Amino acid sequence: MIEFVSNTNFAPSNPKAENVGEPLHLQLGHKSEVAQPSYEEVFAKLDSPEIKTRIGHLLKQYPVEQGALLEVLWIAQSELGWVPHAAVKWAAQICRCSPAHAWGVATFYTMYKHAPTGRFFLQFCQNICCHTAGAENIISIAEKKLGIKAGETTKDNLFTIVRAECLGACGNGPVMLVNDDFATDVIAGELAMPLNVGLNEERLDKIIAWCKERAAKMPLEPKREPLGGVTGAVHGEPQTTDFAPAPPALGVKATAGENGVSIVWKIAPEVTVLAVERKNGKKWELIGNPSVKDKEFVDANGKSGYEYRIIATSGERAAKPSAVSIS
Ligand code: FES
């Protein structure tokens, strides 16, 4: 007997093992049948030169095409917002495997979504650590505040709530994900999960307000690059075909002072070259290559309001640029 267990279960509880004969949408945890776009509709969205380039890069990294299946499915999800059946078939064709195999993969890994969601996909962990720390209470507060039940989407299509199994942040329980980001609080205008700070009603209010404010300011959610992205050019050099993102510089912070702008960051030990860039008009300019052991770089010509980012390279592979920090 198979029991479907999925982080993207849209129903409040998992289907029972004895119910495997239920319609597919119920097996996948959806409350009602999901309208599936046709293959032609899906193909029209995925058949772009940019996606072809990305897939070309990906396929070169594996001895057989099937090895790229997870990432090809990711590309479909990032373009469509979810993985309809036709996208599974599309991925299977690219990866030269059977649609049944691709379907098994797409339904085994819980980060693939099998139904469209609202703009802010709120996944509340209901597993043991979060449960004992009050997850049920937080989930019912969220349901009340948004006027929907877990598994539903608000009428304005802004929020979908789901229950999820362990999200791997047990020490912070109860926790939630807002799209791809952990959030138990909002700090300095950003979603945050400070050490040992779990959700409570007050912090949940802040997170919901953050989402609403973002939706009001930003008509569309910026698209994420789930693979780190094929950056095309780094310092004017074409991206190598064996591209894989090296660990990016994290926590980049630029602070203006009397002697210019001080930029600090954190970096993984395998990084071999660091490049600090400053924005000049629409272009990014290289302003220095600190040693990988350095933890600070000072731009003596920097001023308040300048934008900075860091690009980390490991061997010949350059990561996507870090988040931008404004001094
Ligand atoms: S139990 Fe909730 S994150 Fe692990």
Side-chain angles (χ1 to χ4, degrees), residues 263-284:
I263 303 122
V264 294
W265 60 86
K266 292 189 189 101
I267 202 75
E270 55 268 40
V271 167
T272 49
V273 178
L274 279 176
V276 179
E277 295 189 337
R278 183 179 64 208
K279 200 159 194 186
N280 183 1
K282 287 188 176 167
K283 283 194 176 159
W284 285 98

Side-chain angles (χ1 to χ4, degrees), residues 125-131 164-175 182:
C125 175
Q126 63 171 359
N127 218 299
I128 186 71
C129 298
C130 291
H131 179 82
E165 299 308 328
C166 180
L167 297 170
C170 317
N172 271 71
V175 300
F182 278 110

